[in-house]
Amino acid sequence: MSTTEADILFKDVKKGEIILEMRGITKIYPGGVVANDHIDFDLRAGEIHALLGENGAGKTTLMNILYGLLRPDEGEIYIRGRKVEFKSPLDAIRMGIGMVHQHRKLIPAHTVLENIVLGHPKVGKILNLHEIEREVKELCEKYGFKLDLHAKVWQLSAGEKQMVEIVKALYRGARILILDEPTSELTPVETEKFLESIKVMAEKGLGIVPFVTHKLPIVLSVADRITILRRGKVVARMSREEATMVNLAKRMVGREVLFRTVRVKTKIGEPILEVRDLHALNDRGVPAVRGISFVIREGEIFGIAGVTGNGQQELAEVLIGLRKPIKGKIIFRGRDITNASILERWKLGMGYIPPEREFGAIKDFTLVENIAMNYYFDEKFVKSKFLLDYDKLRELAMKAISEFNIMAPGVDTKAGHLSGGNLQKLILARVMMRRPKLLIANLPTHGLDVGATEFVRNKLMEYKKEGAAVLLISEDLDEVLSLSDRVAPIYEGRFVSILPIEMVKKEEIGAMMAGAISEGVAE
Amino acid sequence: MIGLRFPKLKCERIVILTGADAVKISALSVVISFMLFGAFVAFEGTDPLVAYEHIFSFAFDPKLGLPITLHRGFFLVFNTLAFIIPMAAGIWNIGMEGQFYLGTIGAFAVAYSFPDLNQAILIPLMLISGAIFGAAYGALAGFLKGKMNVNEVVVTIMLNNIAFWLVYLLTVGGPWAGIAESTSKPLPKNACAPMVWNTPFTSIFVIVVAILVYFFLKKTTIGYQIRTLGSNPIVAKHVGISAPKISVIVMAIGGAIAGLSGYHMWAGDPAFLMIPRPEAYKAIGDLTYWGIILGLICLLNPLTSVPASIFIGSIIVGTTVLVRRLRMPFGLDVLFLGIISLVFAAFQFFHQYRIRRVKVVIGK
């Protein structure tokens, strides 16, 4: 590779040497929001320095400043003691800083190699891929990445795509790698692999800054040092040895957080939902649900644990009516609803929390209008046959705000002004206040920070206490295990087993999710 | 190095557009289009101010242009409402022209079949029949969209063409052909619209319809479902709103309102009282497309569509004086309307983005 500015800047770096210093970084957004308040941050060569904080703590702002996307109002950045100023990410890249975003920015129809060279200064008018391929291969070998350079990006898994982004940053000469929520889209197996590879990268002298809002155990397992932000300020700096789950969470949230939601035993009542030999196809017409049968009763949480793409999304969609089954029966409170419409299912007492907030709320609508989504068909909220009773809906919205602790200036605010966590709470409130007999909670804590996650979990538990049945779908094994009364690991469209929580061993469930154990204990 | 300061323009996405901002943007669009057209007028050697004075003094003179201004303006209100309702559900109704023709057929069929009926019975029957014809024509596109996901823009445009020829078949040498060349028989006396304050009663009728549409979208359960579907079809599906059902409903209502404009146009202007020659009824049919621009400018608000439509109506009527009084070239009226629609379309940009000046310092 030819010599670049970064090569000169980072010449003869020794491991453990401070390569980056940010001093007194302050950023105030128009409107007076102080996103960063005199933040100091430093990074050594060969270390993984995690940046931790809840949504809105200022991590993203700080890293965007480091990557040249934002300019600080105050403060300085030094790389190997030399003061630098970035006008755009291009400047930052030139100085050896690379960033991998949470949402992949790759072109699916192009090959891995084409994506890696895209935008590289070395690529002139004519593409000479041979030399580049050799260099990229060398790079992959150095860090132990296994990538098929000629595969199309759409064929890759989430983990492989992330690797492509990392290689892309490295090929552009990154010595400091910023990783935005690096594990949020990875499966447990991929996460494991990813953690291995960043350890290797650090070993070879790179400085790595992952920033994380949740999944604290992951941080604990690899980070050498941890800096915690809260409300734009550094509240703690510690080494891995000093950190424990509890004190990290406490510092992040600013209060004690119970990680173990206390599971309460309730009386198990009548069967609410009975599913018999259900089969369904996914969007591509491939069988995704392949013969699933189970029963959920009043007062229990039934957890489905599985790696994304094993049919749990399709199963949830079939249950609420978004997808038609090709075979099988669904019986809800003694009625065959296999062919019922979505609206009929809501009316009969089903509730569904969608996996993405974008599926559940409209940002242009006020909170009242968003709440109305599950009540427009409810006689209690319709007057003179055709009119929505907005007075009653307003009351309901106010109740939702206070009961679910939603931070909003008022019920007539547009939902777009709410933060992600509050929006999720709004959806949850809307569905749960219907008191459905069966609640299908599809990734209910996806993307929530620690405080909000705890809140949602406790709500589910409370709800079960009232005698409702809950079907919990989650990618977070700890979540499933801490809430469920019975757990069904799903693999390739089938339940590997259905286990009462007392009989569950975490390792065993993990193996079942990965398809390593084909049949466990029968129900 | 010396620091260089220069202002730079930056685009920001607007999350939520307020009503006041929308009014400001519309006002600005009007000013800019007047300035642009003024430049053309000046280029043709006429003082723009004199031209504008003539345009509006004619359009709003009760003895001269005002009755036609109002008549054409309210015609546009019908067609704007016919666009707004499906658009609120996210469906582009480009078929007001065809629905207007079908409404014409529906109304005239009743009038020709029962010419001797009492006015108090005949006129409501004509209106109902026109609405049903228009509704059925709209619902056809709505059904294809909802059930089979056929693009509604393509379907409605093709239906417009079919509707044009249906009217042609009936009038030019067809069963409704009149004595004069290529026009229909005159309407029976009982079928003509009674006048209120020098404008047909249908003008007042459409104001009532606009208010009803406003409340329909805002307060009713169906209106709520329409808006939810229009804002986010995926969310709507998750909460059990049936897209096929809503598609048919909105296109039927839109078609019905566009269909009503058939009666308003031909029975409400004393100059017509029949279906005119094909190029003349096509020219009126072309006016229905203003419904699209007006609907978008008004941010789908049925109430503001009334003054906005009257404003465009006044320009449609007023610009005719440029030729008659000021001896200016033909086609300037169309140019003015073209400028207005282009400027308004361009200024839609400001419904999404705000431009802000930021100071950038280079070097230090």
Side-chain angles (χ1 to χ4, degrees):
Chain A
M1 253 185 274
S2 54
T3 326
T4 61
E5 219 170 320
D7 284 333
I8 301 161
L9 197 58
F10 283 89
K11 208 167 172 228
D12 303 323
V13 170
K14 282 178 212 69
K15 257 183 87 177
E17 179 192 340
I18 290 183
I19 47 174
L20 167 80
E21 262 185 286
M22 298 177 84
R23 282 192 211 143
I25 300 288
T26 298
K27 176 78 190 174
I28 301 168
Y29 284 116
V33 178
V34 184
N36 284 173
D37 188 358
H38 297 93
I39 290 182
D40 296 326
F41 183 81
D42 64 76
L43 181 69
R44 296 170 199 275
E47 100 172 324
I48 300 173
H49 187 163
L51 195 58
L52 216 65
E54 289 198 288
N55 295 332
K59 312 177 298 286
T60 313
T61 304
L62 186 67
M63 287 301 112
N64 281 343
I65 288 171
L66 179 56
Y67 192 54
L69 284 164
L70 290 173
R71 293 168 68 88
D73 295 322
E74 261 178 59
E76 284 132 19
I77 303 172
Y78 297 86
I79 291 180
R80 288 201 89 193
R82 193 181 125 187
K83 191 175 165 196
V84 289
E85 220 175 305
F86 301 142
K87 285 191 281 288
S88 77
L90 227 53
D91 293 347
I93 291 168
R94 230 177 273 139
M95 299 291 181
I97 293 170
M99 183 154 170
V100 175
H101 295 272
Q102 185 176 5
H103 302 287
R104 308 277 161 260
K105 296 184 170 165
L106 297 171
I107 301 171
H110 285 187
T111 65
V112 170
L113 193 61
E114 283 164 348
N115 268 288
I116 289 171
V117 302
L118 187 69
H120 195 281
K122 225 181 118 176
V123 180
K125 292 264 184 314
I126 295 164
L127 202 58
N128 179 9
L129 281 176
H130 290 293
E131 195 194 333
I132 295 168
E133 186 176 349
R134 195 176 44 78
E135 287 174 0
V136 173
K137 265 193 181 146
E138 265 171 36
L139 202 67
C140 286
E141 267 161 41
K142 183 175 168 195
Y143 294 109
F145 294 134
K146 284 192 190 69
L147 268 179
D148 176 0
L149 295 181
H150 296 289
K152 304 270 187 205
V153 162
W154 60 265
Q155 297 170 314
L156 305 183
S157 69
E160 286 169 320
K161 282 183 200 157
Q162 185 172 48
M163 212 175 275
V164 174
E165 295 242 33
I166 293 173
V167 174
K168 185 177 168 129
L170 293 177
Y171 186 59
R172 292 205 70 166
R175 308 303 163 94
I176 294 166
L177 207 52
I178 309 164
L179 305 169
D180 178 356
E181 298 283 356
T183 58
S184 67
E185 287 174 16
L186 303 188
T187 61
V189 183
E190 285 177 327
T191 304
E192 202 93 331
K193 250 171 74 192
F194 163 77
L195 294 179
E196 264 324 299
S197 57
I198 66 166
K199 270 191 225 159
V200 173
M201 288 191 282
E203 205 56 37
K204 308 257 169 174
L206 289 170
I208 298 172
V209 188
F211 59 109
V212 182
T213 43
H214 37 101
K215 302 204 177 181
L216 301 182
I218 290 160
V219 182
L220 278 171
S221 69
V222 295
D224 299 301
R225 278 195 297 161
I226 298 158
T227 292
I228 302 177
L229 299 184
R230 191 169 80 234
R231 293 189 190 155
K233 282 188 185 152
V234 175
V235 289
R237 237 181 238 110
M238 52 180 95
S239 64
R240 178 174 37 188
E241 292 75 35
E242 300 167 72
T244 63
M245 278 289 280
V246 177
N247 71 17
L248 284 182
K250 193 175 148 189
R251 292 269 166 70
M252 239 171 102
V253 183
R255 61 182 166 80
E256 292 282 350
V257 177
L258 295 169
F259 270 95
R260 290 274 158 205
T261 311
V262 189
R263 193 195 345 264
V264 274
K265 262 280 168 207
T266 43
K267 223 184 96 216
I268 304 292
E270 295 289 302
I272 292 282
L273 179 78
E274 202 182 330
V275 172
R276 284 186 212 148
D277 192 30
L278 201 65
H279 290 257
L281 304 177
N282 66 11
D283 290 336
R284 280 169 290 151
V286 178
V289 178
R290 307 191 306 165
I292 283 184
S293 306
F294 64 100
V295 177
I296 309 181
R297 295 187 173 80
E298 286 173 340
E300 78 168 340
I301 297 182
F302 186 93
I304 297 178
V307 177
T308 314
N310 273 295
Q312 60 271 61
Q313 286 310 321
E314 287 81 2
L315 174 64
E317 286 168 14
V318 170
L319 292 180
I320 192 64
L322 288 161
R323 187 181 290 277
K324 290 223 163 2
I326 48 170
K327 204 181 139 194
K329 237 180 191 175
I330 307 166
I331 291 156
F332 180 62
R333 298 170 76 193
R335 261 178 78 161
D336 185 348
I337 57 154
T338 316
N339 295 313
S341 73
I342 302 169
L343 185 60
E344 280 171 77
R345 292 175 208 226
W346 277 102
K347 282 183 177 168
L348 284 171
M350 270 197 182
Y352 181 67
I353 298 169
E356 308 263 347
R357 286 189 278 278
E358 287 70 37
F359 298 171
I362 293 178
K363 295 192 167 170
D364 257 352
F365 276 19
T366 64
L367 299 196
V368 178
E369 285 172 317
N370 267 295
I371 290 272
M373 252 170 237
N374 290 133
Y375 299 90
Y376 70 88
F377 51 80
D378 193 330
E379 278 166 29
K380 275 177 263 161
F381 293 90
V382 176
K383 54 180 184 187
S384 345
K385 269 207 160 154
F386 298 109
L387 301 179
L388 266 185
D389 192 339
Y390 277 102
D391 292 335
K392 273 197 187 157
L393 286 167
R394 276 181 70 89
E395 267 171 44
L396 191 72
M398 283 188 222
K399 207 173 134 204
I401 285 183
S402 66
E403 237 178 68
F404 282 75
N405 216 350
I406 299 167
M407 299 294 187
V411 290
D412 296 314
T413 320
K414 302 223 162 154
H417 292 306
L418 262 56
S419 73
N422 282 311
L423 211 54
Q424 178 76 356
K425 283 186 191 171
L426 179 75
I427 297 167
L428 214 69
R430 190 181 81 200
V431 176
M432 287 176 78
M433 283 163 65
R434 281 194 65 74
R435 304 257 162 255
K437 291 283 171 238
L438 170 72
L439 181 67
I440 303 169
N442 196 350
L443 313 184
T445 58
H446 184 75
L448 292 186
D449 57 40
V450 178
T453 298
E454 184 201 19
F455 177 86
V456 170
R457 290 180 183 173
N458 285 335
K459 272 282 169 198
L460 290 177
M461 198 50 79
E462 233 175 75
Y463 195 55
K464 169 186 117 166
K465 257 193 272 180
E466 291 174 16
V470 178
L471 176 69
L472 172 69
I473 297 173
S474 178
E475 285 163 0
D476 182 344
L477 188 52
D478 290 320
E479 177 168 283
V480 175
L481 294 183
S482 67
L483 292 173
S484 313
D485 298 293
R486 285 189 298 150
V487 181
I490 190 169
Y491 180 69
E492 296 202 330
R494 290 197 190 101
F495 286 164
V496 182
S497 176
I498 298 176
L499 299 164
I501 194 73
E502 299 79 20
M503 293 177 60
V504 166
K505 286 192 203 84
K506 191 176 171 186
E507 301 70 39
E508 213 174 275
I509 292 274
M512 286 176 177
M513 277 163 66
I517 301 179
S518 54
E519 186 57 49
V521 192
E523 193 182 356
Chain B
M1 250 210 288
I2 309 155
L4 266 177
R5 250 169 212 278
F6 65 93
K8 195 184 156 197
L9 297 178
K10 204 181 148 200
C11 253
E12 281 181 340
R13 229 190 129 79
I14 300 174
V15 185
I16 288 151
L17 180 76
T18 63
D21 282 338
V23 171
K24 257 188 251 165
I25 293 164
S26 295
L28 191 63
S29 322
V30 171
V31 172
I32 301 274
S33 4
F34 274 58
M35 279 162 52
L36 276 175
F37 183 65
F40 279 100
V41 172
F43 181 74
E44 288 293 338
T46 307
D47 183 348
L49 289 178
V50 173
Y52 283 130
E53 204 213 311
H54 277 288
I55 290 175
F56 290 107
S57 66
F58 178 80
F60 288 106
D61 186 330
K63 287 204 191 79
L64 299 169
L66 188 63
I68 314 176
T69 295
L70 291 179
H71 180 255
R72 299 295 192 274
F74 285 115
F75 175 72
L76 297 184
V77 179
F78 277 105
N79 290 290
T80 306
L81 296 175
F83 174 78
I84 285 176
I85 296 169
M87 197 62 227
I91 294 174
W92 290 82
N93 184 10
I94 313 292
M96 285 87 75
E97 187 190 354
Q99 292 144 18
F100 157 63
Y101 291 149
L102 261 285
T104 301
I105 294 174
F108 275 65
V110 170
Y112 290 146
S113 309
F114 313 104
D116 303 323
L117 269 181
N118 187 321
Q119 198 181 31
I121 300 169
L122 182 61
I123 292 173
L125 274 182
M126 286 174 75
L127 286 171
I128 291 167
S129 168
I132 290 174
F133 270 63
Y137 214 54
L140 185 60
F143 175 79
L144 289 172
K145 164 77 180 176
K147 204 78 197 168
M148 289 160 219
N149 203 19
V150 186
N151 187 302
E152 73 277 15
V153 174
V154 177
V155 173
T156 47
I157 286 181
M158 291 198 292
L159 287 177
N160 288 347
N161 212 26
I162 295 171
F164 171 83
W165 290 105
L166 283 178
V167 177
Y168 189 96
L169 278 175
L170 287 166
T171 51
V172 183
W176 293 353
I179 304 154
E181 204 182 337
S182 310
T183 65
S184 76
K185 290 182 282 189
L187 270 180
K189 267 227 163 60
N190 292 346
C192 302
M195 297 302 221
V196 183
W197 302 310
N198 221 3
T199 178
F201 77 96
T202 39
S203 301
I204 290 134
F205 176 70
V206 75
I207 296 177
V208 176
V209 174
I211 295 168
L212 285 177
V213 168
Y214 178 80
F215 280 102
F216 172 70
L217 287 177
K218 206 154 176 129
K219 297 284 178 195
T220 64
T221 50
I222 300 270
Y224 177 78
Q225 293 181 54
I226 290 171
R227 286 188 295 126
T228 307
L229 182 68
S231 303
N232 193 327
I234 299 171
V235 173
K237 192 176 178 191
H238 274 77
V239 297
I241 292 170
S242 157
K245 189 179 119 189
I246 299 291
S247 304
V248 173
I249 290 177
V250 290
M251 283 302 288
I253 299 177
I257 297 176
L260 286 170
S261 71
Y263 178 86
H264 171 81
M265 177 46 77
W266 310 124
D269 184 345
F272 292 119
L273 305 179
M274 61 172 174
I275 303 173
R277 284 170 298 118
E279 30 333 339
Y281 80 73
K282 174 67 183 160
I284 298 290
D286 283 345
L287 287 182
T288 60
Y289 291 93
W290 276 96
I292 302 167
I293 296 161
L294 284 164
L296 293 176
I297 293 168
C298 298
L299 295 178
L300 306 187
N301 184 334
L303 299 183
T304 48
S305 78
V306 178
S309 298
I310 301 292
F311 169 68
I312 296 297
S314 73
I315 288 170
I316 290 170
V317 174
T319 41
T320 55
V321 299
L322 294 179
V323 179
R324 282 204 312 275
R325 288 193 193 161
L326 301 174
R327 303 273 159 230
M328 296 191 69
F330 279 98
L332 270 181
D333 50 342
V334 184
L335 175 74
F336 194 12
L337 290 169
I339 287 174
I340 293 176
S341 51
L342 280 178
V343 170
F344 269 101
F347 274 61
Q348 289 275 306
F349 173 83
F350 295 104
H351 288 174
Q352 309 276 340
Y353 299 95
R354 165 185 306 137
I355 287 182
R356 217 163 47 95
R357 278 165 67 131
V358 284
K359 285 217 177 78
V360 175
V361 187
I362 291 198
K364 236 182 202 172

